[in-house]
C-alpha cells in the first residue's frame, strides 16, 4: 500500500493526476492511512472537487495518530476549503 501511495505521489508530481488518483485509491483500498487519504485529498482539491477532498481530509484527520506534522498539514488543508 505504501508503494502505491508513493507511486501515486510521483505521478501527481509529473502531472498525471488522474492516474495518480487511481493508485492512491488502490493504496487506500488495500490499507487506508492518514497520509494516503491526505494525498488523495490534495489532488481532489486541486481539481476543484472540494467536497470529496474534504471527506478525505476528515478521514485522514480521524486516523492521523501521533504525527503532529501531518496533522497540521491536514488541518491547514481543511481550513483552505
Amino acid at each position: 500500500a505504501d508503494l502505491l501511495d508513493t507511486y501515486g505521489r510521483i505521478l501527481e508530481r509529473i502531472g498525471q493526476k488522474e492516474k495518480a488518483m487511481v493508485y492512491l485509491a488502490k493504496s487506500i483500498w488495500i490499507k487506508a492511512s492518514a497520509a494516503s487519504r491526505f494525498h488523495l485529498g490534495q489532488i481532489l482539491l486541486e481539481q476543484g472537487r472540494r467536497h470529496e477532498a474534504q471527506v478525505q481530509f476528515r478521514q485522514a484527520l480521524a486516523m492521523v495518530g501521533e504525527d503532529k506534522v501531518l496533522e497540521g498539514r491536514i488541518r491547514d488543508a481543511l481550513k483552505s476549503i
Side-chain angles (χ1 to χ4, degrees):
D2 291 339
L3 183 59
L4 292 171
D5 177 70
T6 301
Y7 188 57
R9 292 290 290 158
I10 291 168
L11 290 169
E12 186 266 333
R13 289 182 187 212
I14 62 172
Q16 297 183 21
K17 296 189 187 303
E18 290 297 324
K19 195 171 181 181
M21 286 195 318
V22 170
Y23 281 91
L24 290 168
K26 285 181 182 181
S27 171
I28 292 167
W29 185 77
I30 291 170
K31 181 184 174 201
S33 72
S36 58
R37 289 196 179 278
F38 174 67
H39 296 151
L40 182 56
Q42 287 179 308
I43 295 173
L44 290 166
L45 187 58
E46 288 173 11
Q47 292 184 334
R49 296 164 66 178
R50 298 169 65 88
H51 177 72
E52 292 169 273
Q54 186 178 45
V55 168
Q56 292 301 319
F57 292 146
R58 287 179 191 260
Q59 289 177 348
L61 191 58
M63 60 184 3
V64 73
E66 299 296 319
D67 188 338
K68 297 299 180 192
V69 173
L70 181 56
E71 180 182 349
R73 292 177 69 196
I74 296 166
R75 288 186 186 283
D76 288 345
L78 280 167
K79 287 177 190 174
S80 74
I81 294 179

